[in-house]
């Protein structure tokens, strides 16, 4: 799966050939320091940043891609992985592989995308609801809209601000695809991340002031150390000089041992408990998480107002990321990637319908 490095990046184990080397070659090409291709330079805006490769000290022959942790800046990240395109198999796939992929989700060609998983933060319970790829494969043409909207529902109401911001970011990626003919993407995904916690510490609603308390994150250790969580793996990121390398070697060696035999499909479930402060105006200020004690009595209707009726300027600044990920099946081309374009357009239509209705 995806591992967290104490320096704030994530590590994705290189897949067996030819997929792994192909993905590494893709990243190397896009992030080549000598790159002067405007198409590839623009593409960087829509990918996680790439920091080369890394190998654990105990297994120098095992390679990991070192990538930006897109979730790091969020306090309570809501995460969704959506495979894009009409085909989840590449042009060189065997008949057996094609049949295997088609049978997994026969509607892929018609719908143009597949939800591989989601993790949604519910304010009311201060907990996450998780759906795996079986959930996505159960969605039909009739239910896909409701299936996607589940990702943007925080337990009180629909986060329309996050939907609107997501549409804008997908449209930018669509523009890139409409303007390039040199690469075709198969079995690649979009990673959606938005902030699940309320974005205001103090919100004045008529005569009511809702004040949130900011608690110390459970992962904060004495002395400013951060305890980061990646599934059931923990690594302490020491801020003291001289301890970083020891921490990296020790922690990631454990990662390696635990994950070597259990390597599976990606899990975009990383959480960093280091909270960044978001500066708003005098009314909308930086956020902490809403504690259970604030979810009683008349607070809930006020929360609904906060989430459902945000001012336009706040909606425009919604903390949302949409990045392209998974490039084990990217191939040179001389035509537009019509399958990916179809998937993007259909996803935008579904999100727009959720927004409008």
């Amino acid at each position: 799966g995806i591992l967290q490095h104490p320096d704030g990046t994530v590590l994705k184990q290189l897949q067996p050939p030819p997929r792994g080397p192909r993905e590494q070659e893709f990243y190397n090409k896009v992030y080549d320091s000598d790159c002067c291709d405007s198409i590839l330079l623009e593409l960087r805006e829509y990918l996680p940043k790439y920091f080369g490769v890394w190998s654990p000290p105990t297994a120098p022959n095992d390679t990991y891609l070192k990538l930006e942790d897109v979730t790091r800046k969020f306090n309570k990240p809501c995460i969704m992985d959506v495979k894009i395109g009409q085909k989840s198999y590449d042009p060189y796939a065997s008949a057996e592989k094609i049949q295997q992929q088609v049978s997994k989700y026969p509607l892929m060609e018609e719908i143009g995308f597949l939800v591989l998983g989601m993790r949604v933060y519910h304010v009311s319970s201060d907990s996450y609801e998780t759906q795996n790829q079986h959930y996505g494969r159960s969605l039909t043409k009739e239910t896909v809209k409701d299936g996607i909207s589940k990702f943007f529902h925080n337990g009180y109401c629909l986060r329309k601000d996050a939907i609107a911001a997501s549409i804008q970011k997908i449209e930018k990626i669509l523009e890139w695809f409409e303007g390039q003919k040199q690469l075709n993407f198969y079995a690649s995904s979009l990673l959606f991340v938005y902030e699940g916690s309320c974005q205001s510490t103090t919100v004045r609603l008529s005569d009511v002031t809702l004040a949130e308390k900011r608690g110390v994150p459970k992962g904060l250790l004495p002395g400013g150390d951060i305890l980061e969580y990646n599934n059931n793996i923990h690594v302490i990121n020491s801020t003291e000089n001289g301890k970083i390398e020891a921490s990296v070697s020790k922690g990631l060696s454990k990662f390696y041992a635990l994950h070597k035999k259990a390597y599976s499909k990606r899990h975009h479930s990383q959480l960093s408990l280091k909270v960044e402060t978001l500066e708003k105006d005098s009314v909308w200020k930086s956020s902490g998480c809403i504690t259970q004690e604030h979810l009683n009595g008349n607070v809930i209707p006020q929360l609904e107002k906060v989430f459902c009726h945000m001012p336009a300027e706040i909606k425009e600044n919604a903390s949302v990321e949409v990045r392209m990920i998974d490039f084990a099946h990217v191939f040179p081309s001389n035509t537009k990637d019509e399958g990916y374009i179809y998937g993007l357009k259909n996803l935008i239509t579904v999100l727009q319908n959720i927004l409008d209705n």
Side-chain angles (χ1 to χ4, degrees):
I2 298 291
L3 307 178
Q4 267 189 329
H5 192 290
D7 67 5
T9 61
V10 293
L11 302 168
K12 178 182 180 182
Q13 190 170 26
L14 209 64
Q15 299 175 69
R19 292 173 297 164
R22 192 187 295 132
E23 183 165 30
Q24 184 181 354
E25 182 183 355
F26 169 81
Y27 274 114
N28 285 338
K29 182 178 180 180
V30 174
Y31 283 93
D32 188 335
S33 57
D34 297 325
C35 177
C36 56
D37 184 333
S38 60
I39 295 293
L40 298 183
L41 291 174
E42 184 186 347
L43 178 59
R44 293 179 184 179
E45 297 177 29
Y46 313 120
L47 311 183
K49 290 183 179 67
Y50 174 60
F51 301 100
V53 295
W54 180 90
S55 295
T58 54
N61 294 327
D62 282 12
T63 305
Y64 291 78
L65 300 173
K66 204 163 187 284
L67 302 166
E68 172 190 6
D69 181 358
V70 180
T71 71
R72 185 173 176 82
K73 69 178 182 180
F74 296 88
N75 180 24
K76 298 290 183 181
C78 297
I79 305 167
M80 178 169 66
D81 184 337
V82 183
K83 185 185 289 187
I84 305 291
Q86 291 178 283
K87 297 176 180 177
S88 57
Y89 54 89
D90 65 53
Y92 303 96
S94 64
E96 182 183 0
K97 179 69 173 178
I98 293 172
Q99 180 56 40
Q100 178 195 52
Q101 289 298 314
V102 171
S103 64
K104 283 183 177 180
Y105 194 57
L107 290 172
M108 191 76 179
E109 188 166 357
E110 190 171 355
I111 293 178
F113 61 85
L114 167 64
V115 176
L116 290 177
M118 67 174 69
R119 214 166 161 266
V120 189
Y121 177 69
H122 284 183
V123 181
S124 55
S125 58
D126 188 25
S127 64
Y128 283 90
E129 179 183 352
T130 304
Q131 302 291 346
N132 61 22
Q133 50 191 299
H134 298 294
Y135 170 81
R137 289 187 184 130
S138 71
L139 300 178
T140 65
K141 289 183 294 180
E142 292 73 30
T143 63
V144 69
K145 184 178 125 181
D146 290 338
I148 292 283
S149 68
K150 193 180 188 75
F151 174 63
F152 294 98
H153 204 288
N154 63 17
Y156 288 124
C157 71
L158 201 62
R159 284 289 304 274
K160 290 192 172 186
D161 59 315
I163 299 174
S166 296
I167 291 173
Q168 289 178 1
K169 290 182 180 291
I170 301 170
E171 285 174 340
K172 292 291 291 180
I173 294 173
L174 176 58
E175 282 180 26
W176 182 85
F177 271 91
E178 293 279 19
Q180 70 91 23
K181 293 183 178 180
Q182 57 179 285
L183 294 171
N184 279 9
F185 295 73
Y186 301 90
S188 185
S189 292
L190 288 183
L191 182 68
F192 291 77
V193 190
Y194 73 87
E195 180 56 65
S197 62
C198 180
Q199 295 199 350
S200 62
T201 308
T202 304
V203 181
R204 297 191 185 104
L205 299 167
S206 60
D207 296 325
V208 179
T209 299
L210 169 64
E212 295 178 37
K213 292 182 180 177
R214 179 188 295 277
V216 176
K218 292 179 183 177
L220 195 59
L221 301 179
D225 289 352
I226 301 295
L227 179 62
E228 296 189 349
Y229 293 82
N230 185 73
N231 296 332
N232 295 320
I233 310 297
H234 309 291
V235 60
I236 294 176
N237 177 9
S238 175
T239 54
E240 295 179 32
N241 291 334
K243 292 187 179 179
I244 292 293
E245 276 305 318
S247 170
V248 171
S249 298
K250 185 177 179 182
L252 291 175
S253 295
K254 289 180 182 178
F255 283 174
Y256 172 74
L258 285 165
H259 279 259
K260 186 174 181 182
K261 293 184 180 179
Y263 179 71
S264 61
K265 197 74 176 171
R266 65 202 158 279
H267 295 282
H268 300 293
S269 60
Q270 315 100 330
L271 277 181
S272 172
L273 292 173
K274 186 177 182 180
V275 181
E276 285 193 1
T277 302
L278 302 174
E279 289 298 328
K280 300 299 180 184
D281 55 32
S282 60
V283 176
W284 295 85
K285 296 181 180 176
S286 60
S287 70
C289 55
I290 299 173
T291 56
Q292 188 65 44
E293 63 192 278
H294 295 101
L295 301 174
N296 303 320
N298 295 325
V299 173
I300 289 177
Q302 303 304 332
L303 281 174
E304 290 174 349
K305 291 180 184 178
V306 172
F307 283 113
C308 302
H309 305 291
M310 289 186 182
E313 63 270 16
I314 298 300
K315 292 182 182 181
E316 290 173 6
N317 294 325
S319 189
V320 174
E321 290 285 356
V322 179
R323 303 287 186 93
M324 296 169 61
I325 58 171
D326 299 335
F327 307 110
H329 303 276
V330 179
F331 296 91
S333 174
N334 55 11
T335 62
K336 284 187 181 181
D337 192 341
E338 297 295 351
Y340 202 105
I341 289 172
Y342 175 90
L344 289 177
K345 286 182 175 179
N346 211 27
L347 181 55
I348 289 171
T349 299
V350 171
L351 290 173
Q352 194 62 56
N353 285 339
I354 296 170
L355 200 59
D356 294 341
N357 297 326

